Amino acid sequence: NYKELEKTLFSMDGKSYSAYKSLKGEYKFEKYIFAIDHVQSDPYAPPSKMRVIMDRKICGIPCELTDTKDKNIAVSDFLTRNFYREIQKSGNDSTGTGGSGRIFIDRCGQEILERTSVLIKGDKVEVRFEMGMPARGRRIMGKAAQKIIFEQLPEIVEKSIIYDNLNKKALNEQVILVLDQEYARKMLKEKGLASFVANDSVLPRESGVSDKPMKNAVKFRSPEKFEITLKLPSGKEISGMGIPKGITLIVGGGYHGKSTLLAALERGVYNHIAQDGREFIISESDAVKIRAEDGRNVEKVNISGFINNLPQNKDTRAFSTENASGSTSQAANVAEALEYGTSLLLIDEDTSATNFMIRDGRMQKLVVKEKEPITPFIDRVKELYDNFGVSTILIVGGSGDYFDVANHVIMMDEYVPKDVTEKAKEIAKLDENKREFSSNDKFQGVTQRIPLKKSFSQSGKLDKTKAKGKYSILYGKELIDISGLEQLVDDSQTNCIAVMIDYFKNKVLDEKLTLSQAADRIYEKIEKEGLDSISSYTGHPGNLALPRKQEFCATVNRYRKLKIK
Ligand code: ADP
Ligand code: MG
């Protein structure tokens, strides 16, 4: 129990750092079990992994606040943020060499994600955190460790986990908010919408490096034509712009807020915390941002719907390259998104390859069809919706060609959206230099691909997959660059993808499952057994936040040694 731990810590004072290893185990404190799952090997190594395990009765959080998955996620998120805040308030700080003495918990951003940081399950509440075991040089600071574990930690736990000490109103509101957001997302389907943007939403962010809302931003206001009202489970009614399924074009002068609107729609696949400004910007949860990503690796992807008749007769039904061009990378991104499933594509001119997006009437006259391998997106976007049920919301500010195919045209005018559909359609009718449909075949859809086990054999069984920040993952010596995945929002999602890749290659891949099916297996497992279940650690599973299937598959697709059957 705790008395022994205290004694041991005092007696360790001044000993060599490795003695800390012997602390691994569980200790009974007054209100909780304190578990030391993993001890770092030196003060500079990643901090030691620990947990506090508390009886639900002692914690006191009412069952009705956690009796559905969505509620459970909302409460876990709330407790994680609380714990984080209490660490800051407690004055906990470095007390020696390296990360000595510091307590850490996974840091939440503006989104509310399913995480491993707090687990509420059965009659237990578990907090997973880390601690830098304190040292001076390589000598144990036993008294400092005692102080952190016996004074700081209990106070942090007391203030951040015990229901009676929580801001109950805020907790309750967060649960209600998540339920309302989930409901709104379900309503999209019923109302035939691709996305919804509530009036008074704040779209722009503080800066390129801060995801907090911009102060004094122009608040969102729906054009009358698209305004709808949603009645939410909380009783609240919210009005805003419902973007119908189909093809929606966003136009407007430079700097009028087009990209900001699209970026908000991209993030609308996630739920957001109160005061974020995007609480009720809601998109289909499988919406995928599509961009050009030149230089990426492509492995046997069927991009023939967009690119055909390449020089030297390269087959584009199973197209491979180690260095994709702007247009081929964008074509591959679309094809792959269709493979693992999406109902909404989001495209911004700022990050698109022009030759993938458009080819105007004049260019069609100059370069004959037979000499142009690209069927631009404009000639497929309607088929994608009509035959495959995939909507597109896209920004094209520099060409009116999309007027012909768009169902709706929204103009951003000084950050305010206006409906200009009628006007755009009239202009399109008058046009003399009309372009022609440039494809003589129908869009055939995509090909499901089966990843091979040998893709991962290179580095042997012992090689771990490891996240490096938000945008890269190391598999053995192979770096997977995922900086093109704009809908990835959290380092812990990247961590989770790394863990999922390990699970994928060791337990799921079988030469029969397609990438999409294999991914589904992993998500089914997580759904049934929880996010912990894919981690290879016992106790503290690491800081994981659930990514979407889209980002997981996209990461596998960017692995340069991926081999397809
Ligand atoms: P566009 O894509 O039309 O060129 P952006 O979306 O990039 O324009 O926006 C240009 C600038 O305006 C950005 O710095 C953005 O933060 C800011 N901005 C966007 N929307 C708003 C708003 N509603 N209120 C205030 N500033 C905004
Ligand atoms: Mg822009």
Side-chain angles (χ1 to χ4, degrees):
N1 66 35
Y2 70 93
K3 288 252 163 63
E4 274 163 48
L5 176 62
E6 196 162 30
K7 244 196 266 160
T8 316
L9 287 172
F10 283 133
S11 71
M12 278 181 174
D13 198 55
K15 286 198 180 148
S16 103
Y17 202 82
S18 58
Y20 269 144
K21 290 262 182 213
S22 67
L23 293 178
K24 233 178 116 170
E26 295 192 350
Y27 304 92
K28 199 168 167 6
F29 278 60
E30 196 192 329
K31 291 195 176 170
Y32 53 78
I33 306 261
F34 172 58
I36 302 179
D37 294 322
H38 170 263
V39 181
Q40 66 206 100
S41 48
D42 69 76
Y44 293 99
S48 304
K49 291 190 165 68
M50 305 177 179
R51 284 172 301 148
V52 158
I53 306 151
M54 190 183 275
D55 273 346
R56 182 96 192 219
K57 272 199 213 103
I58 293 174
C59 164
I61 291 180
C63 288
E64 61 269 21
L65 278 183
T66 58
D67 57 7
T68 68
K69 178 131 194 216
D70 292 331
K71 288 180 175 178
N72 193 306
I73 291 172
V75 174
S76 301
D77 174 279
F78 189 88
L79 296 183
T80 303
R81 288 172 201 272
N82 248 348
F83 198 91
Y84 184 90
R85 212 174 303 120
E86 290 303 330
I87 294 171
Q88 314 308 314
K89 279 206 243 160
S90 72
N92 171 269
D93 205 355
S94 181
T95 55
T97 311
S100 276
R102 293 191 60 193
I103 302 174
F104 308 88
I105 191 164
D106 203 10
R107 184 173 192 173
C108 306
Q110 297 298 103
E111 286 80 18
I112 298 173
L113 304 172
E114 180 173 355
R115 284 180 198 269
T116 50
S117 51
V118 169
L119 178 75
I120 308 173
K121 194 176 174 186
D123 56 359
K124 297 272 189 268
V125 174
E126 234 182 272
V127 186
R128 286 82 179 268
F129 59 98
E130 289 141 306
M131 189 185 293
M133 295 302 284
R136 191 172 292 114
R138 290 189 180 275
R139 299 273 147 212
I140 287 177
M141 293 168 75
K143 283 182 199 124
Q146 186 273 344
K147 194 167 156 35
I148 298 160
I149 295 172
F150 286 83
E151 289 176 27
Q152 291 182 355
L153 184 64
E155 185 166 328
I156 293 168
V157 171
E158 183 74 28
K159 286 186 176 160
S160 61
I161 304 300
I162 304 276
Y163 185 60
D164 273 336
N165 301 328
L166 301 182
N167 180 342
K168 293 183 183 127
K169 183 162 170 278
L171 172 61
N172 209 37
E173 281 170 1
Q174 170 142 318
V175 172
I176 289 171
L177 179 62
V178 166
L179 294 180
D180 276 352
Q181 294 184 24
E182 283 298 321
Y183 179 84
R185 200 167 285 110
K186 281 200 195 91
M187 289 307 284
L188 290 178
K189 275 202 183 68
E190 240 164 77
K191 304 225 168 206
L193 301 175
S195 288
F196 175 81
V197 185
N199 291 337
D200 294 322
S201 291
V202 175
L203 281 59
R205 300 292 96 190
E206 203 167 42
S207 75
V209 292
S210 165
D211 203 32
K212 301 231 164 75
M214 179 191 270
K215 296 185 183 81
N216 304 319
V218 176
K219 298 212 166 139
F220 191 84
R221 175 110 340 240
S222 171
E224 229 171 89
K225 179 174 152 191
F226 296 115
E227 189 159 282
I228 61 153
T229 300
L230 297 178
K231 202 168 174 329
L232 302 174
S234 65
K236 209 158 118 187
E237 288 189 13
I238 52 168
S239 301
M241 177 168 82
I243 303 179
K245 287 181 181 295
I247 300 149
T248 303
L249 182 63
I250 300 169
V251 300
Y255 221 71
H256 279 253
K258 301 184 296 295
S259 295
T260 304
L261 171 58
L262 198 81
L265 298 177
E266 286 162 29
R267 293 300 181 90
V269 300
Y270 298 112
N271 295 329
H272 288 94
I273 54 169
Q275 311 300 325
D276 173 79
R278 299 171 295 187
E279 294 94 309
F280 289 101
I281 302 181
I282 306 283
S283 297
E284 284 275 22
S285 56
D286 61 1
V288 177
K289 170 70 176 287
I290 297 291
R291 55 169 296 163
E293 210 179 329
D294 40 309
R296 68 159 282 197
N297 187 66
V298 175
E299 179 64 14
K300 292 195 185 164
V301 177
N302 182 354
I303 57 169
S304 63
F306 301 102
I307 297 175
N308 237 321
N309 309 323
L310 281 181
Q312 300 171 336
N313 276 331
K314 232 180 148 187
D315 186 8
T316 57
R317 280 168 307 169
F319 179 79
S320 302
T321 174
E322 284 174 27
N323 186 6
S325 68
S327 55
T328 46
S329 62
Q330 202 164 355
N333 285 347
V334 174
E336 287 169 351
L338 297 174
E339 261 183 62
Y340 32 78
T342 180
S343 57
L344 175 61
L345 302 175
L346 301 166
I347 304 180
D348 190 340
E349 60 184 354
D350 295 352
T351 48
S352 288
T354 307
N355 57 343
F356 176 78
M357 295 302 293
I358 50 178
R359 186 171 343 114
D360 71 6
R362 286 183 173 173
M363 196 52 82
Q364 284 183 322
K365 280 175 191 147
L366 188 66
V367 181
V368 294
K369 210 182 298 186
E370 292 68 32
K371 292 280 179 198
E372 175 51 78
I374 302 177
T375 302
F377 190 72
I378 187 170
D379 290 324
R380 293 299 191 205
V381 66
K382 228 175 114 33
E383 284 177 277
L384 279 177
Y385 182 61
D386 293 343
N387 304 338
F388 296 85
V390 179
S391 297
T392 300
I393 300 175
L394 79 174
I395 300 175
V396 181
S399 157
D401 283 351
Y402 273 91
F403 292 173
D404 292 323
V405 290
N407 302 114
H408 306 283
V409 185
I410 294 167
M411 180 165 80
M412 292 305 284
D413 182 4
E414 300 191 19
Y415 311 133
V416 179
K418 309 241 158 88
D419 169 42
V420 294
T421 311
E422 295 299 314
K423 205 159 172 202
K425 291 287 176 193
E426 265 165 43
I427 293 169
K429 256 188 233 153
L430 296 175
D431 202 354
E432 280 153 24
N433 243 322
K434 239 187 162 52
R435 63 186 306 281
E436 275 168 33
F437 187 71
S438 67
S439 172
N440 30 26
D441 59 350
K442 266 178 68 176
F443 183 61
Q444 303 292 329
V446 296
T447 313
Q448 294 291 339
R449 292 170 301 144
I450 297 174
L452 294 175
K453 252 187 135 91
K454 70 169 186 214
S455 316
F456 295 94
S457 62
Q458 49 124 10
S459 36
K461 261 214 163 119
L462 288 174
D463 255 319
K464 274 267 163 195
T465 319
K466 204 169 160 39
K468 294 259 173 229
K470 201 196 313 184
Y471 293 124
S472 38
I473 289 177
L474 265 178
Y475 173 66
K477 287 190 182 122
E478 192 69 31
L479 184 77
I480 313 176
D481 176 1
I482 50 174
S483 54
L485 306 186
E486 294 173 280
Q487 288 169 291
L488 202 61
V489 293
D490 198 293
D491 289 16
S492 297
Q493 285 183 314
T494 311
N495 257 336
C496 191
I497 292 176
V499 172
M500 289 168 81
I501 288 178
D502 269 334
Y503 186 82
F504 172 75
K505 75 175 170 54
N506 295 333
K507 306 259 168 74
V508 181
L509 271 192
D510 72 347
E511 324 279 298
K512 283 191 212 72
L513 294 173
T514 66
L515 175 56
S516 174
Q517 290 167 335
D520 287 340
R521 293 280 164 98
I522 306 176
Y523 282 87
E524 279 158 22
K525 163 123 179 144
I526 293 171
E527 179 70 33
K528 248 195 248 139
E529 296 168 39
L531 199 44
D532 283 6
S533 67
I534 53 161
S535 169
S536 54
Y537 293 107
T538 45
H540 192 313
N543 294 327
L544 311 180
L546 189 67
R548 298 187 309 157
K549 178 187 178 188
Q550 280 72 21
E551 277 70 38
F552 170 73
C553 291
T555 304
V556 174
N557 277 323
R558 278 156 187 75
Y559 172 50
R560 287 182 174 271
K561 298 232 160 94
L562 179 69
K563 294 276 171 295
I564 296 292
K565 199 165 174 176

